[in-house]
């Protein structure tokens, strides 16, 4: 990409492959028939030539690569690896052969799409493992403890299974995630034997919601559950490998850091300090956690690009300042590059200390690309840097594309890079103006840049927060302006100094300083979260609207001419699209134990046989409903007995949840829709959602369509993916439910007694 302030050369573009003298051909894409408006036509041609100029291609390559990954995750069943790989290779070869043709750009982008698709297919095949399909209630497990999470109520660990025994099942899993009573999780690296109840990875609780089973699959985990009884440590059959010893060492280091912090801080202060330094954030209490996310400060709790940037920045400037104190070094050596190298080492250590999760890896790659650019005398903050970082992240972890942290992080970074390259030169363009000079004396421009950065990052991440979490943070800019300078200038530097001073026993004062900053951050988050209108609730909308919003953000961020405002039009259209989505009238849980019905008041009314707080929280959030699981109004209009429950739809028809077999006959005769986790009788007169359908399709969302319902399932017809395999069994179900028509009855052939003859 051509960079501001540098002379333009007669370049051939990427690797000198752009066709000579053919940039004007971009004007050929202008719509025909513009002759009546020659000025407009020439202007559009000039803009298109500028957008297709040398250096403008690279930022679009990761966009195309990510589009290929998105197509992979949208597939109904697993693609054939060799076909995907061969297609990508052939298209890449074709792009190389066309490098001096005007078709090079579309050929390269198409090849990038195919490469992204093939990379995601290969990653899935490489880590392929067994996923539990049915619950196992008493399983004997032996294996090594790989990771451990200390949480608020229970602890959790991942077990690498070496031996597994279950009654009436020969399934063999590689890894399982188990919950235990708080304080009883075994040490990382230990070899244990235990009994557990295992469940399949949790599937989406409604169509369109986040797929945790997919996350667990790419983490190599085939089931989750909880320990039954005591955990016995024993002598392992082998050493467990170098990777396990490394995990045990890093876990011991995290535990030691947490112990040192605990000596000075308590409660949420300790939990947040540990989260910032080690990535363990599960011990934060629910009220503080909710306040952080409602206020827009939730990003501070997860190791992200911000944390990496602060760590690298503090080390970079500290090392450079120390080296500058030595005159011989400052004059004769490139201390800036040395400082960048030291910052890169510090960022790598921070990556390992925080667990090296996918989101943290993404942050490290982005930071590493910036630091390497400094070391090789290139501009650090450019669209090229962002493009290279995105390509690295997506190549290493294609599954990151569908994770909210990746989407929000790169959307925010794209907005900030655009601000740096476009907004900052405009803001600092007239330093000699008297009014500007007076404002600058008071730091006005710096405050304006901080405000602009918070605003741009907040706006860029809003579509993703609305899609994944069904809420927006209207006062997020206010919270970030009040809290982030303290986090950047006090909390994180004090934490880094505490890590350095801990081996010498001088770390206490730094944890104390860190706690002061965290107190301020918590106070700001609670204050902002308590403001009227602090929670902006957004009802659920489909992924197509999110894709359109992403396209709008990309166009606004990457285009440099006024054509960028076409992205604003696309974004506005995506917003209107998302807000116009009709919400379902009935939600049915995948196990058939909970049903939410929209009543005459327009709100959901709940029928449930189990207390699944997580499911209910997700349903209410997706409906933009401010009620919580304890609200008594959820049961308004619901009538229950030991056999089941019924509640009316807005049109007065009844929906029944049948809990017992003997209730089905009555429900089938009186209700319009019967939901049951049992097999329904074939002669049921009502529309039926029973065990067979739920097993095949998972959770359902039903929308009224005439007298029947349009059905949206979690697992679409024919869907079969490694993290969500198709259920075995008979039955194929379409996308609708319709009232059953009464079968024509044969006329009664019995003659009356008066008509009978004597000979009859």
């Amino acid at each position: 990409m051509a960079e501001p302030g540098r002379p333009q050369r007669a370049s051939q573009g990427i690797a000198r492959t752009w066709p000579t003298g053919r940039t004007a051909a971009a004007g050929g894409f202008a719509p025909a028939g513009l002759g009546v408006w020659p000025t407009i036509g020439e202007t559009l041609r000039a803009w298109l030539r500028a957008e297709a100029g040398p250096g403008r291609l690279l930022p679009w390559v990761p966009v195309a690569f990510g589009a290929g990954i998105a197509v992979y995750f949208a597939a109904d069943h697993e693609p054939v690896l060799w076909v995907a790989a061969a297609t990508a290779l052939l298209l890449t070869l074709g792009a190389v052969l066309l490098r001096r043709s005007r078709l090079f750009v579309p050929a390269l982008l198409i090849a990038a799409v195919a490469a992204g698709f093939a990379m995601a297919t290969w990653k899935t095949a490489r880590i392929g493992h067994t996923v539990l399909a049915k619950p196992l209630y008493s399983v004997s497990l032996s294996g090594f403890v790989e990771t451990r999470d200390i949480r608020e109520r229970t602890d959790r660990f991942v077990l690498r299974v070496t031996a597994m025994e279950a009654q009436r099942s020969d399934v063999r899993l590689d890894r399982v995630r188990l919950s235990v009573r708080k304080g009883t999780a075994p040490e990382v690296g230990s070899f244990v034997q235990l009994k557990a109840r295992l469940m399949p990875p949790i599937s989406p609780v409604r169509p369109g919601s986040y797929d945790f089973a997919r996350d667990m699959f790419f983490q190599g985990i085939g089931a989750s559950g909880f320990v039954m009884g005591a955990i016995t440590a024993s002598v392992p059959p082998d050493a467990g490998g170098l990777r396990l010893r490394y995990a045990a060492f890093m876990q011991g280091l995290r535990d030691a850091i947490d112990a040192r912090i605990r000596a000075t801080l308590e409660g949420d202060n300790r939990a947040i300090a540990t989260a910032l330094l080690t990535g363990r954030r599960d011990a934060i209490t629910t009220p503080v956690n909710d306040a952080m996310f409602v206020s827009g400060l939730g990003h501070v709790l997860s190791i992200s690009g911000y944390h990496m940037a602060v760590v690298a920045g503090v080390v970079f400037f500290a090392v450079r300042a120390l080296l500058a104190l030595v005159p011989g070094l400052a004059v004769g050596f490139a201390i800036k590059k040395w400082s960048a190298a030291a910052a890169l080492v510090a960022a790598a250590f921070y990556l390992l200390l925080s667990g090296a999760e996918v989101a943290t890896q993404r942050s490290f790659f982005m930071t590493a690309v910036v630091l390497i650019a400094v070391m090789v005398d290139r501009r650090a903050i450019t669209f090229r840097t962002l493009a290279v970082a995105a390509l690295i992240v997506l190549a290493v972890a294609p599954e990151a594309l569908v994770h909210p942290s990746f989407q929000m992080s790169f959307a925010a970074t794209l907005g900030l890079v655009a601000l740096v390259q476009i907004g900052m030169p405009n803001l600092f363009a007239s330093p000699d103006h008297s009014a500007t000079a007076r404002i600058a004396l008071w730091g006005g421009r710096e405050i304006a840049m901080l405000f602009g950065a918070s605003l741009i990052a907040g706006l860029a991440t809003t579509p993703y927060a609305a899609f994944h979490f069904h809420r927006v943070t209207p006062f997020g800019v206010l919270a970030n302006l009040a809290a982030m300078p303290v986090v950047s200038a006090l909390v994180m530097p004090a934490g880094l100094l505490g890590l350095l001073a801990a081996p010498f026993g001088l770390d206490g004062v730094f944890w104390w300083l860190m706690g002061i900053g965290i107190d301020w951050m918590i106070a700001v988050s609670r204050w902002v979260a308590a403001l009227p209108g602090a929670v902006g609730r957004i009802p659920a909308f489909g992924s197509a609207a999110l894709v359109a919003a992403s396209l709008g953000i990309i166009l606004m961020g990457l285009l440099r001419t006024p054509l960028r405002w076409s992205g604003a039009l696309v974004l506005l259209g995506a917003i209107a699209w998302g807000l116009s989505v009709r919400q379902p009238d009935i939600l049915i849980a995948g196990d058939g134990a909970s049903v939410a019905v929209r009543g005459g008041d327009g709100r959901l009314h709940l029928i449930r046989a189990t207390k699944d707080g997580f499911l209910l929280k997700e349903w209410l959030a997706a409906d933009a409903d401010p009620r919580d699981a304890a609200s008594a109004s959820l049961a308004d209009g619901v009538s229950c007995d030991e056999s089941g429950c019924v509640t009316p739809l807005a049109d007065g028809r009844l929906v029944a949840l049948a809990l017992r077999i003997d209730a089905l006959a009555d429900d089938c005769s009186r209700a319009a829709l019967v939901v049951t986790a049992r097999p329904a009788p074939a002669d049921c007169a009502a529309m039926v959602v029973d065990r067979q359908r739920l097993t095949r399709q998972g959770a359902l969302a039903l929308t009224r369509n005439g007298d029947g319902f349009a059905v949206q399932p979690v697992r679409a017809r024919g869907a079969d993916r490694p993290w969500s395999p198709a259920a075995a069994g008979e039955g194929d179900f379409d996308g609708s439910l319709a009232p059953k028509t009464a079968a024509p009855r044969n006329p009664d052939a019995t003659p009356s007694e008066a008509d009978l003859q004597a000979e009859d």
Side-chain angles (χ1 to χ4, degrees), residues 340-351:
L344 183 60
V345 173
F349 174 75
Y350 190 41
L351 170 71

Side-chain angles (χ1 to χ4, degrees), residues 431-493:
D432 296 330
H433 190 277
S434 58
T436 305
R438 287 196 298 270
I439 295 174
L441 290 176
W442 296 93
R445 289 186 298 195
E446 286 72 16
I447 295 175
M449 285 302 300
L450 180 60
F451 178 83
S454 298
L455 181 62
I456 292 297
L459 291 176
T461 58
T462 293
Y464 306 100
F467 179 80
H468 292 288
F469 310 115
H470 316 296
R471 63 189 179 194
V472 295
T473 55
F475 304 124
V477 173
L478 179 62
N480 279 274
L481 285 174
M484 295 314 294
V486 175
V487 176
S488 302
L490 177 61
V491 175
M492 291 300 295

Side-chain angles (χ1 to χ4, degrees), residues 23-36:
T23 54
F29 291 104
L34 293 179
V36 293

Side-chain angles (χ1 to χ4, degrees), residues 576-595:
W577 185 2
L579 294 177
S580 65
V581 171
R582 180 182 174 184
Q583 297 306 305
D585 295 291
I586 300 175
L587 292 169
I588 303 175
D591 59 1
S594 299
V595 181

Side-chain angles (χ1 to χ4, degrees), residues 107-144:
L108 181 61
L109 295 180
I110 293 173
V113 172
F117 186 90
M119 182 63 71
T121 306
W122 174 77
K123 176 66 178 291
T124 301
R126 181 173 63 85
I127 67 170
H129 58 88
T130 303
V131 174
L132 187 65
K134 296 181 179 180
L136 297 176
Y137 294 101
S138 182
V139 186
S140 297
L141 297 172
S142 300
F144 292 95

